[in-house]
Amino acid sequence: DAKTTQPPSMDCAEGRAANLPCNHSTISGNEYVYWYRQIHSQGPQYIIHGLKNNETNEMASLIITEDRKSSTLILPHATLRDTAVYYCIVRVERDEETSGSRLTFGEGTQLTVNP
Amino acid sequence: NAGVTQTPKFRILKIGQSMTLQCTQDMNHNYMYWYRQDPGMGLKLIYYSVGAGITDKGEVPNGYNVSRSTTEDFPLRLELAAPSQTSVYFCASSYWTGNQPQHFGDGTRLSIL
């Protein structure tokens, strides 16, 4: 799986959009970009994922550059409850081997939403 | 909805003791995983299972054993606890196909003294 690079920390004002960047310059054509977050002391929570096109769900939007070497997770109206560590993960969607759809977690970005 | 349930939530062990961390899921997922997370670090895969009766090693399997006798349960066993195994342990499950994400439990916080 491709390696990802994220800033260690970011701050955001409550009610504003939080834009979290991720670099994945060695991504392969069949690798998807996944975002998870981990609120303190809890298990990771899936947010969104995509391959080429931008994606949006009830939690966030994912913007992937045309060359797919970087992406941005957007939380449109950040709240205090969005304070968490955000992980950008790149992996193959369908692992045809028996190795399973494993996730490789880096150190993520600590997002702090301030009142 | 229960999802992925881990027990116990907290445990303190002495060096050399053994214990089993329990994980059960009620979503009929075929894949299950065990991760550990050391302070300030990301998660590392210990073992995983693609279905009942099938398990395989992840990145950091030494000192651990697993079994998968049913679809629902995936226990993790520590045979001879060592201080280096002090960590937070997360169990996760997922479907194999499609866009299904991994669902995580709330973790077991284990200290070995």
Side-chain angles (χ1 to χ4, degrees):
Chain A
D1 292 338
K3 181 178 173 59
T4 61
T5 303
Q6 299 177 251
S9 64
M10 294 183 63
D11 288 300
C12 178
E14 188 177 20
R16 303 296 294 270
N19 298 310
L20 290 89
C22 180
N23 287 324
H24 30 79
S25 58
T26 60
I27 193 170
S28 300
N30 62 345
E31 289 183 310
Y32 284 66
V33 180
Y34 284 73
W35 284 85
Y36 281 73
R37 73 180 182 183
Q38 188 175 23
I39 297 171
H40 182 62
S41 299
Q42 297 181 17
Q45 177 189 25
Y46 166 80
I47 302 173
I48 198 168
H49 78 289
L51 180 63
K52 295 181 181 178
N53 300 321
N54 299 336
E55 302 287 344
T56 296
N57 63 19
E58 65 278 4
M59 290 181 67
S61 295
L62 174 60
I63 308 299
I64 302 173
T65 58
E66 190 170 348
D67 63 8
R68 303 209 323 120
K69 293 184 177 182
S70 65
S71 60
T72 301
L73 177 74
I74 301 173
L75 307 178
H77 304 287
T79 70
L80 299 179
R81 288 177 294 181
D82 291 322
T83 293
V85 177
Y86 287 77
Y87 296 99
C88 170
I89 299 166
V90 175
R91 71 166 176 88
V92 175
E93 170 81 351
R94 293 172 182 266
D95 190 341
E96 299 296 342
E97 301 174 357
T98 57
S99 57
S101 51
R102 295 176 289 179
L103 298 175
T104 301
F105 286 81
E107 296 183 5
T109 296
Q110 171 66 58
L111 175 68
T112 301
V113 181
N114 301 306
Chain B
N1 295 331
V4 178
T5 302
Q6 293 184 236
T7 57
K9 294 188 184 303
F10 305 93
R11 184 73 184 268
I12 298 174
L13 284 181
K14 294 182 179 179
I15 296 171
Q17 286 185 321
S18 61
M19 78 162 292
T20 299
L21 282 64
Q22 301 291 344
C23 175
T24 187
Q25 51 92 10
D26 62 357
M27 298 171 282
N28 202 33
H29 286 165
N30 46 351
Y31 282 5
M32 295 188 74
Y33 313 82
W34 274 106
Y35 294 88
R36 61 175 285 174
Q37 185 175 32
D38 298 332
M41 306 294 287
L43 281 71
K44 293 184 179 179
L45 183 67
I46 305 171
Y47 270 95
Y48 63 94
S49 169
V50 302
I54 305 171
T55 64
D56 208 345
K57 297 177 180 179
E59 300 173 70
V60 290
N62 291 342
Y64 307 95
N65 282 299
V66 293
S67 60
R68 183 96 182 269
S69 58
T70 67
T71 299
E72 295 79 17
D73 300 308
F74 190 40
L76 176 72
R77 183 154 181 88
L78 284 69
E79 292 292 351
L80 290 171
S84 62
Q85 294 177 305
T86 294
S87 191
V88 181
Y89 292 84
F90 291 101
C91 178
S93 70
S94 71
Y95 290 114
W96 176 75
T97 59
N99 301 327
Q100 305 304 314
Q102 290 190 16
H103 297 258
F104 285 81
D106 286 333
T108 294
R109 283 146 188 81
L110 180 63
S111 294
I112 298 164
L113 306 175

